Structure formats: structure tokens, C-alpha cells
Amino acid sequence: MGNKRKRQVRGIKIQNINICMILISCILYVLLIVATVDASHRYKVMISAMGNYINCEEDAALVKEASDYLTEQVRLYTVTMDPVYVDRYFNEVYVEKRREIAMDQMSYYHTNAMAYEYFHTALENSDKLMEQEIYAMKLITIAQGYEMSDFPEDIREYTILEEDQFLSPDEMTEKARNLVFSSEYQKAKEDISGNVSYFLDNIIDNTMQEQQKSVVDLKRTMTGQQILISVLFVENILMFVLIILLVIKPLKIYIENIEDKEKLSVLGSYEFKYLALTYNNIYELNATNEAMLHYRAEHDPLTGIINRGAFDRLRQLLKGKQAPLALLIIDVDKFKQINDGFGHEMGDQVLKKVARLLEESFRSTDYIARIGGDEFAVIMTDVREDMKPLISDKIKQINDDLQHPGDDLAKTSLSVGIVFSSAGFPEDLYTKADKALYNVKENGRCGCVFYDEKE
């Protein structure tokens, strides 16, 4: 029966919805985490590009500063002839080494080939200019007659041109100054600055391209995040609506059904529908059992008509009514002789026949009851005293059937006491009917007598 009921249930299973929602949520959260990580990566790329540009700009400035510093020291030496400027010059070249540091950092930042070429050219030009500057310092050193061993190896080992060997000290000094102050020297310096500028321009362009690409990618990633968040929001709303429709609403209706002692409405999710069907089956079974118990409590098990308890409750119920009624108290004549002579089984069959004849003879709105062993009662509703002939005819017809049985049952008859009431079932109504019954028995049984107040 349980499996059959399961097959009859149609509906959405909360378990399946939960599984689907959990899977969708997990997928969306994973995608959201991936999008977040990607957005973080794009942001880091932008920051890295800007950081590379700043570092490249610093390195370019470092090269320019180093180159200008070397120019400054060599010029001061050619003007003042103070060897301290030579020491400073070579300290920059071999100790500080700002140009080499900048070059190494350039390769670390992975600048593009064209930018690196500009920067490399600037360094090469600076190196060439250094040779010119060292030559100028060599000429000054010779012109001043300084001890060559006191100067760096670069100056000591630098060979001067043959045509310059025969110059006078003043001429050497003049040539040395021309080498570092001439327009050609200044142009070489400008070429170095130009290459550095080209390098920076290229770096700027490259940085801008990387940033624009990163911005586009970041926007796309953020759009994806917004879509995922929107989908999660819609999923939560959908889940909330489903919970209301499939869980909360059915629960409220079920509570109302239970409070009203009704069967549960079959609605909501599969689980709630299954619960409702199961409850309704139990409800129907309990109702059937209750009805059966109620029926047994109110009906005589032998004849099937209402018993003495139900008759007494009916009397109490009709006390406060204002409608007219009639009460008939009925005895089966000589029933003890039937039991003793034919047996209790015959007696039971006679009682069943009496109950059946009473039910067939009176209306469905009348109440037929067995109030004792062979004693019956009939409460007729909405009757008046002018119906006495009709009632008498009914009793006569029943007695005819009982005295002339065609079913092999023992002959018998009924004695009936009848009383009318204009308003409900007063306390003395039963006593009056019983008095009328007594009169019937005193006058030979097998008939009916109507109670008369005058007697």
C-alpha cells in the first residue's frame, strides 16, 4: 500500500531541490572565487606595470645622473686640475656604478626589446663619452706633470695620440677642455639624453597598453563577478519562494486542517503531499473506526436499531425542543414463552423481525429504539393527535404480519402505549406512555392505546 501511494504522489521533492541548489551554489561560489582571484591578478598586473614604469623611470634618471656626474667631475678636473675630481670620477665608475646597476635592473623588469635597445644605446654612448673624458683627464695629468702612479690604471694605461705627444702643457690643457666643453661633446650628451627619453616614451607607451589591457580584462572579470552575484541573489530569492510555496504555506494550511479536524490538503512538495496522503489514510481509518465505535455505542448489536443509551440521550436532546412529537412504548407479547418454547435463536429472529417491521412502517425521520430485552420505543417527530388513525393502522398492520408469519417464525404480537406531546419530550412523557401500555396489556394485549389525561 505504501509503494502504491508513493507512485500516486506527484510533486517536486525538497531533497532534489536542496541537492540542485547546493550544486548550483557550489559551482557559482567556485566561479566567483575564480573571478575574484582573476580580478586580483589583473589588479596586480596593473600595479606591476605602473611599478615597472616607475622603476624604469628611476633607472633612466640614475643613468642620466651618473652620466651628468661624470661630466661634472671631468670638467671640474680640466678647470681646477685638482686630482680629487679624478678620484670622484672613478669612484662613480667602479664603486657607485649607478649605470651598471640601472642596466641590471632593466633586464630584471623585462622591458620590451625596443625600449631596452634605446637604453643600451644610451649606455654605449655614455661609455664612448667616458673614453673621451678619460683622454681629457690624461692630457691634464700630463700637462700638470702629476706623478702618473698616483692616478687610476685607466688613466695610466691610456695611450695618447701621436700628434698630441708633442703638444705643450697649455695646448694639452686647452685640448682637454675642448674635449669636454665642445659642441660635439654637448651633442653626444644630448644624444644620450635623447635615447633615455626615447626609452622612457617607449616604456610609457608599453605601460599604457598593458594598463589598458588590464583595465579591459579587469572590467570583464568584474562584470562576470556581478553576473555571478546576481545569479546567486536570484537563486536565494528562488529558494526563498520555493520554501514559502512548498514548505511554509503547506504547513500553515495543515495546521488549519488539523485545528478544524479535517483531512490535510494535498499540496506543496512531494514530501508534504506524501505526508498528507499518509495522514489522510490514517485520518480516514480513525474516522471509520470512530464511526464504527460510535455506531456500536448507539446501536443494538442484534437488531441494528438505536439502543437504550442513545434513546436516553435523544430524550435529553428533545427536552428543550418546542416541536410536537409522539412516544410509542412497545412490548413483544409473550416473548418469554417464545424463548422457552422455541429457543433463544428463535427469540432473536423474532426481535429482528419486529425491529425491521418498525423501521419499514415508520418514517425515516422517526427514531426506532430497542430499550430492553423485548421492549422497543418509537419517537415520532412533527406529529399531531389527528394522526392517531394512521398510527393505529400501522400497529394493526404490524400485528397482522407477526400473527400470520410466512417465514417459519413463531407467532407473536405487539402491545403499544402511545402519548403525544405538543412541545418536546417532558419528564413525564415516558411514564404516560408506559401507563397507556399497561392498559393495553390489561385489555388482552395485541393492540395500542393512546394516553388520555381524563382517564
Side-chain angles (χ1 to χ4, degrees), residues 6 88 94 121 125 175 186 238 290 340 384 388:
K6 283 184 180 180
R88 291 178 181 177
Y94 293 112
T121 301
N125 292 336
K175 184 171 184 177
Q186 189 61 37
L238 178 61
E290 185 177 350
D340 293 342
R384 299 175 301 279
K388 288 181 179 180

Side-chain angles (χ1 to χ4, degrees), residues 231-295:
V231 173
L232 278 172
F233 177 76
V234 172
E235 183 200 16
N236 289 333
I237 294 297
L238 178 61
M239 190 65 181
F240 180 72
V241 172
L242 289 175
I243 289 174
I244 291 177
L245 294 178
L246 299 179
V247 178
I248 297 177
K249 182 179 178 181
L251 280 176
K252 289 183 178 180
I253 295 176
Y254 286 177
I255 291 172
E256 293 175 359
N257 293 150
I258 294 173
E259 288 177 347
D260 296 337
K261 298 181 179 180
E262 299 174 346
K263 293 197 295 184
L264 300 183
S265 303
V266 182
L267 47 78
S269 66
Y270 169 89
E271 289 84 355
F272 279 92
K273 288 181 179 179
Y274 186 78
L275 172 64
L277 290 175
T278 304
Y279 176 88
N280 291 343
N281 288 338
I282 298 174
Y283 179 90
E284 290 173 358
L285 181 61
N286 289 339
T288 301
N289 291 337
E290 185 177 350
M292 187 179 296
L293 292 173
H294 184 72
Y295 180 86

Side-chain angles (χ1 to χ4, degrees), residues 91-257:
N91 183 72
E92 172 64 33
V93 174
Y94 293 112
V95 179
E96 299 294 334
K97 297 192 292 188
R98 286 185 284 181
R99 296 184 309 159
E100 286 77 3
I101 292 173
M103 191 67 180
D104 291 340
Q105 290 181 162
M106 283 297 162
S107 60
Y108 176 77
Y109 298 136
H110 303 291
T111 56
N112 63 70
M114 183 175 293
Y116 187 83
E117 184 63 28
Y118 283 129
F119 191 76
H120 188 68
T121 301
L123 284 177
E124 287 181 344
N125 292 336
S126 180
D127 289 339
K128 291 177 181 179
L129 208 58
M130 279 182 62
E131 293 180 2
Q132 187 173 338
E133 291 167 349
I134 292 172
Y135 190 75
M137 287 188 289
K138 178 82 173 186
L139 291 175
I140 294 296
T141 303
I142 295 172
Q144 293 300 314
Y146 291 137
E147 182 62 39
M148 198 62 67
S149 60
D150 294 335
F151 286 82
E153 184 179 356
D154 294 82
I155 293 179
R156 293 199 311 267
E157 295 183 354
Y158 204 97
T159 304
I160 64 173
L161 297 176
E162 186 176 351
E163 62 268 20
D164 293 335
Q165 293 178 0
F166 303 102
L167 295 177
S168 65
D170 290 338
E171 289 174 336
M172 285 186 179
T173 301
E174 183 65 26
K175 184 171 184 177
R177 290 175 179 173
N178 286 333
L179 288 175
V180 296
F181 283 100
S182 65
S183 58
E184 289 80 3
Y185 180 88
Q186 189 61 37
K187 184 177 183 305
K189 291 286 294 182
E190 291 175 356
D191 288 341
I192 294 173
S193 297
N195 284 317
V196 171
S197 297
Y198 291 145
F199 163 76
L200 289 176
D201 291 341
N202 195 279
I203 289 297
I204 290 173
D205 292 340
N206 186 61
T207 302
M208 290 297 294
Q209 291 175 6
E210 289 184 5
Q211 285 190 325
Q212 288 175 358
K213 183 178 181 302
S214 297
V215 167
V216 172
D217 292 340
L218 186 59
K219 285 183 178 179
R220 183 167 58 248
T221 302
M222 292 182 67
T223 301
Q225 284 181 311
Q226 292 172 355
I227 293 173
L228 290 172
I229 292 172
S230 300
V231 173
L232 278 172
F233 177 76
V234 172
E235 183 200 16
N236 289 333
I237 294 297
L238 178 61
M239 190 65 181
F240 180 72
V241 172
L242 289 175
I243 289 174
I244 291 177
L245 294 178
L246 299 179
V247 178
I248 297 177
K249 182 179 178 181
L251 280 176
K252 289 183 178 180
I253 295 176
Y254 286 177
I255 291 172
E256 293 175 359
N257 293 150

